[in-house]
Amino acid sequence: MSSPVRVRFAPSPTGYLHIGGARTALFNWLYARHHGGQFILRVEDTDTARNTQAAVDVIVEGLRWLGLDWDAGPQSSDPDGPSRGDRGPYFQSRRGQIYRRRLQELRDRGLAYDRDGAVYFRMTRDPITIPDLIVGDIIRPLTDREQADPDWVLWRSDGQPVFHFVNVVDDLEMGVTHVIRGEDHISNTAKHLALFRAFGVEPPKYGHMPLILNEDGTKMSKRDRGAVVTNYQEDGFLPEAVLNYLSLLGWSPADGQEFLSVAELIARFDLDRVNRSAARFDVKKLEALHFEHTRRLAPEAFLAAAVPYLWKAGVPVDTFPTGYVRAALLTVQEKGKLFRELLSWTDFYFVADDTVVYEPEAQAKALTPTAKPLLEALVVAFGAVTPFSAAGLEAALKQLATQLGVKAGALVQPCRVACTGRLVGPSLYHLLEVLGSDRVRVRMQRALK
């Protein structure tokens, strides 16, 4: 009987969570959830000169925002497990005792030795085959330089273990069954396999994912658009949409469906559908998925996601009736805008009637001398609408247009600009209903002046 699936995400805290790292975490998380296994978070923070708690917090909060929860985890052979109860994460900086014990084990077996103040590993001289679940078998022969001296450092002369050593020891101690990571790590895997075998254990199964590139095919750096997860939070993307999009960067379901809920991703994900070619970042596709996820949200879920962005933009939400805020925001749910853009589509709801700002282009186009008599007639027509509903307002405007012998647009544009200050926005009749008869009358009369 095979061991339960146990995977890990092992970031180095460098101050940001890269989109490639987030995708690695997601693929591991989906694989664990799909197979009923465990997903471990392990912070590789042995570089004390570069790592800070603030950098760790960025990673942890990014994963939490995405909804990638990690599991409990210390194995019985791992006394220095997670430091926060039994849910982790693990910190390599707190596991020195384990590394020293494992180093001594290699020394005792003649597989590690001292040289120039450092401890070296006696590397195999034979080519190593890497059985890869995504790429297929990879044969890693020794390079010309390695043939002369293939041994490599386990423990540096400054008293610190190297990445390759602690990476393997942690995977061994934590019972990791599958290592799913970027293809840029393939060059390391031969060393890792040799070290596992030196410890006398079967290595995990490896799967190396393709890289994520910019739209132009260049390698994505932290300065490129979409490269840092924090930017998605600040821009107001729905985390479910970001997860959906990340899943499609190098993987796709058999039927080609692109809109997928988290539950559907868990049900469908497996490594046999991971592509071997590099994935290209497409912001338009991400925005389209955000639109689909946003418009399908239940109203209360949409409001829960949207309201914090109004607060962040300086809108004193608590000074307005809850029902009014709710109705105002729901008029833009179908627009699929990023949450940071909501204020630019809803600000007119939250200002005094005498402070609506007319965009210059909108004012020049819609509030003209020829529009004045039309707007005057519309004030009268709307005053007779009872109840003041979207359907009633639409019927009144269209009836007036017929009576005046003009197209409905001749009334719609002046009315919209008078009430919102711009030419585009939510459905006119619905926004008028939300504003209410008093606000609409005052704003239209102000525009007439």
Side-chain angles (χ1 to χ4, degrees):
M1 182 177 177
S2 59
S3 302
V5 166
R6 197 168 163 86
V7 297
R8 46 69 166 182
F9 175 52
S12 296
T14 54
Y16 67 98
L17 178 58
H18 190 274
I19 196 69
R23 185 194 61 171
T24 297
L26 172 62
F27 279 26
N28 277 278
W29 185 84
L30 288 174
Y31 191 75
R33 297 294 176 259
H34 179 79
H35 290 281
Q38 289 189 318
F39 171 69
I40 300 165
L41 175 59
R42 184 175 79 216
V43 179
E44 299 194 333
D45 61 342
T46 54
D47 187 348
T48 56
R50 296 178 58 200
N51 301 328
T52 65
Q53 185 57 48
V56 173
D57 292 342
V58 167
I59 293 171
V60 169
E61 293 309 314
L63 295 177
R64 285 178 175 153
W65 179 74
L66 289 168
L68 302 181
D69 56 322
W70 51 92
D71 295 305
Q75 302 284 74
S76 58
S77 62
D78 185 7
D80 294 347
S83 60
R84 301 178 184 178
D86 61 353
R87 284 193 55 78
Y90 291 86
F91 290 88
Q92 285 186 335
S93 59
R94 304 172 187 176
R95 295 168 57 78
Q97 181 179 352
I98 295 174
Y99 305 141
R100 285 187 286 272
R101 171 169 54 83
R102 286 293 186 175
L103 181 68
Q104 188 59 48
E105 181 180 332
L106 292 176
R107 279 173 156 166
D108 292 345
R109 297 172 62 185
L111 297 172
Y113 62 93
D114 296 340
R115 184 204 297 178
D116 300 327
V119 181
Y120 279 73
F121 175 63
R122 294 190 190 279
M123 183 66 174
T124 177
R125 270 56 178 168
D126 299 320
I128 292 180
T129 298
I130 304 169
D132 194 285
L133 297 171
I134 296 171
V135 180
D137 284 358
I138 304 168
I139 299 176
R140 174 73 164 81
L142 295 176
T143 64
D144 292 341
R145 181 184 61 80
E146 288 172 336
Q147 286 177 352
D149 185 9
D151 297 349
W152 48 274
V153 175
L154 294 170
W155 207 282
R156 296 193 298 265
S157 58
D158 63 2
Q160 295 296 319
V162 302
F163 158 76
H164 302 294
F165 179 62
V166 296
N167 184 278
V168 167
V169 169
D170 282 341
D171 285 347
L172 190 163
E173 293 280 339
M174 296 175 187
V176 170
T177 61
H178 296 75
V179 174
I180 305 166
R181 57 189 182 185
E183 65 178 21
D184 51 323
H185 284 285
I186 289 178
S187 60
N188 302 328
T189 306
K191 290 181 178 179
H192 298 178
L193 290 174
L195 194 51
F196 272 109
R197 288 163 185 158
F199 282 120
V201 298
E202 274 299 306
K205 294 180 172 64
Y206 285 85
H208 291 93
M209 302 176 295
L211 298 178
I212 300 175
L213 305 177
N214 291 311
E215 288 186 82
D216 62 3
T218 58
K219 188 174 180 180
M220 182 174 276
S221 75
K222 68 178 181 180
R223 292 175 296 277
D224 293 319
R225 184 178 184 184
V228 180
V229 170
T230 306
N231 293 342
Y232 297 107
Q233 298 173 259
E234 294 172 350
D235 286 347
F237 280 96
L238 200 65
E240 294 93 328
V242 177
L243 276 188
N244 189 170
Y245 180 67
L246 287 180
S247 73
L248 301 175
L249 289 175
W251 173 86
S252 61
D255 61 3
Q257 182 179 338
E258 293 192 331
F259 178 89
L260 295 161
S261 67
V262 175
E264 288 174 315
L265 286 171
I266 291 172
R268 293 176 177 227
F269 185 86
D270 218 335
L271 295 181
D272 60 352
R273 296 291 306 175
V274 175
N275 304 322
R276 295 180 61 176
S277 56
R280 296 203 181 195
F281 184 86
D282 183 348
V283 69
K284 296 296 184 186
K285 188 172 183 179
L286 170 59
E287 290 174 349
L289 283 170
H290 170 82
F291 167 69
E292 285 299 319
H293 279 273
T294 302
R295 74 183 188 87
R296 298 189 196 199
L297 282 178
E300 298 310 317
F302 175 77
L303 294 168
V307 167
Y309 283 89
L310 291 184
W311 278 111
K312 188 176 181 180
V315 176
V317 179
D318 59 346
T319 63
F320 296 89
T322 302
Y324 177 76
V325 175
R326 183 182 193 278
L329 285 173
L330 291 181
T331 63
V332 297
Q333 181 172 1
E334 287 288 327
K335 297 297 181 180
K337 297 295 178 183
L338 301 181
F339 290 118
R340 69 168 170 79
E341 299 173 327
L342 288 182
L343 185 63
S344 66
W345 278 68
T346 62
D347 57 350
F348 63 87
Y349 286 120
F350 307 109
V351 298
D353 297 322
D354 60 353
T355 62
V356 174
V357 177
Y358 307 129
E359 292 181 346
E361 181 185 354
Q363 182 173 357
K365 186 173 183 179
L367 300 184
T368 62
T370 56
K372 185 174 182 179
L374 301 178
L375 204 53
E376 289 174 334
L378 194 57
V379 171
V380 176
F382 280 176
V385 175
T386 305
F388 200 77
S389 65
L393 293 165
E394 181 177 9
L397 184 144
K398 290 181 177 178
Q399 183 179 0
L400 178 60
T402 301
Q403 290 173 358
L404 297 177
V406 298
K407 293 183 178 179
L411 294 167
V412 166
Q413 282 196 344
C415 179
R416 180 183 290 280
V417 174
C419 292
T420 71
R422 22 179 102 88
L423 290 167
V424 296
S427 163
L428 174 64
Y429 308 111
H430 289 89
L431 77 83
L432 294 175
E433 178 182 334
V434 174
L435 286 171
S437 59
D438 290 342
R439 285 193 183 94
V440 170
R441 183 183 68 256
V442 170
R443 294 184 183 197
M444 292 175 71
Q445 288 175 339
R446 174 177 176 247
L448 285 168
K449 297 177 182 179

